[in-house]
Amino acid sequence: MDNGKETNEWKRHKIQVLWALLTNSYLIGFFQGRIYRGKLKNFCVPGLNCYSCPGAIGACPIGAMQAVIGSWNFKFAFYVAGFLMFTGALMGRFVCGWLCPFGLIQDLLHKIPFYKKVETFKGDKLLRKLKYVIFTLFVIFLPMLCVDVLGQGAPYFCKLICPAGTLEGGIPLVFLNKSMQSAVGWLYAWKNVLLTLMIFLSVMIYRPFCKYICPLGAIYSVFNSTSVFRYQVDREVCTDCGICAKACKMQINPAKNANHPECIRCGVCKKACPVKAIN
């Protein structure tokens, strides 16, 4: 990547950092080892930001959906569904590229030099369908069907898979609370193994969590082609040179489908286009 493209990337990273700080601004929580439980926690933030992060002032929409989907709390369930639909219809996966803290972490990890970066591999396209399976099974069906006596389901995705929750919530809370340190078991160890694996893969592969696992990205991808903020390609200007496809880190061809479900609206293709055909 040349200096101009690198500069534009860092401009996006500054916005990502600012948003991450804004949505995790309960800084005293990191010193006390406690999570914020004020009224703002009743509202969702657009990106995947763990509810249990000591600094989080809002709720993760995926965590919130799991918490209410199997209960009779239809009012809050409709709020979460409405929030996801509104955000998706407005921005699509722009949220993934600009507003998700875990997306920022993956971006930065991928900048670490590695002897062989992996752009694609056999089975890559099929593996990208996994995030839809994870959303259906761990966010919808298991919390809806496996409920307790009060009719409440467990947050299975957060509990069994989410590496963002481990990094933002699990590790800080265990580190800051001695009582939790004596209570950790196999599940905590399993989540740390997943996190370690995701960190390693993020160095080699650009945003593996976003590509293959993230249920929030799966939801927003449905709205990518119809969202208010979306790309357009001027076919009278486009020369089909393929430069935008080579520049895209999500391995899609913007000239053929500028609003592909995998597009995170990072803007790299726009900057790379020599004739400015992508708007």
Side-chain angles (χ1 to χ4, degrees), residues 13 49 60 82 105 122 135 137 155 159 164 189 199 213 233 244 246 262 269 272 275:
H13 295 333
N49 195 59
C60 172
I105 292 170
K122 187 177 181 180
F135 169 72
L137 180 61
K159 184 178 180 179
I199 290 173
I213 298 176
V233 177
C244 60
K246 291 180 181 179
E262 293 296 313
C269 60
V275 294

Side-chain angles (χ1 to χ4, degrees), residues 5-278:
K5 292 179 180 178
E6 188 69 30
T7 299
N8 288 316
E9 274 283 273
W10 281 110
K11 288 181 180 178
R12 179 170 66 91
H13 295 333
K14 288 179 181 178
I15 295 177
Q16 290 174 292
V17 169
L18 180 62
W19 183 258
L21 291 175
L22 181 64
T23 53
N24 293 279
S25 56
Y26 186 67
L27 301 182
I28 193 173
F30 290 103
F31 297 97
Q32 296 179 341
R34 300 176 182 175
I35 64 174
Y36 170 74
R37 298 184 182 276
K39 293 183 178 180
L40 289 176
K41 219 49 178 292
N42 294 322
F43 299 95
C44 293
V45 295
L48 197 75
N49 195 59
C50 185
Y51 182 98
S52 296
C53 174
I57 60 171
C60 172
I62 291 298
M65 176 173 285
Q66 294 170 91
V68 300
I69 198 166
S71 73
W72 292 96
N73 192 354
F74 292 120
K75 183 178 180 179
F76 193 69
F78 286 141
Y79 159 72
V80 178
F83 174 84
L84 288 169
M85 293 175 65
F86 173 78
T87 304
L90 181 65
M91 296 183 285
R93 292 197 72 178
F94 174 90
V95 174
C96 306
W98 294 78
L99 302 179
C100 181
F102 201 64
L104 168 63
I105 292 170
Q106 292 174 89
D107 281 344
L108 297 179
L109 285 170
H110 194 66
K111 293 182 182 296
I112 298 175
F114 193 75
Y115 80 99
K116 185 175 177 61
K117 298 286 186 178
V118 179
E119 292 187 1
T120 188
F121 53 89
K122 187 177 181 180
D124 170 72
K125 290 184 178 180
L126 180 62
L127 193 57
R128 296 195 191 206
K129 305 295 183 184
L130 178 61
K131 58 180 172 286
Y132 300 99
V133 176
I134 289 175
F135 169 72
T136 304
L137 180 61
F138 288 91
V139 179
I140 301 296
F141 283 124
L142 284 179
M144 182 182 292
L145 300 176
C146 302
V147 298
D148 57 22
V149 293
L150 298 177
Q152 295 179 329
Y156 287 96
F157 174 75
C158 301
K159 184 178 180 179
L160 300 176
I161 299 176
C162 187
T166 306
L167 180 63
E168 298 173 13
I171 292 176
L173 289 176
V174 170
F175 178 77
L176 295 169
N177 291 273
K178 292 184 178 181
S179 58
M180 289 187 178
Q181 293 171 13
S182 60
V184 296
W186 69 268
L187 185 58
Y188 182 74
W190 162 250
K191 293 290 296 294
N192 276 276
V193 168
L194 288 180
L195 174 62
T196 302
L197 177 61
M198 195 54 55
I199 290 173
F200 178 69
L201 289 176
S202 295
V203 176
M204 292 192 301
I205 303 171
Y206 184 71
R207 288 193 176 221
F209 180 77
C210 300
K211 288 178 178 177
Y212 311 122
I213 298 176
C214 184
L216 189 58
I219 296 173
Y220 289 148
S221 70
V222 176
F223 298 92
N224 244 18
S225 62
T226 57
S227 61
V228 174
F229 296 103
R230 62 184 185 271
Y231 288 149
Q232 292 182 340
V233 177
D234 190 335
R235 299 308 310 176
E236 295 183 358
V237 175
C238 178
T239 62
D240 288 316
C241 62
I243 292 177
C244 60
K246 291 180 181 179
C248 179
K249 295 181 179 180
M250 297 296 285
Q251 287 77 50
I252 62 176
N253 188 343
K256 291 184 178 180
N257 186 355
N259 298 291
H260 191 282
E262 293 296 313
C263 175
I264 59 172
R265 309 268 163 80
C266 65
V268 171
C269 60
K270 290 180 62 177
K271 299 298 180 182
C273 181
V275 294
K276 308 300 179 185
I278 304 175

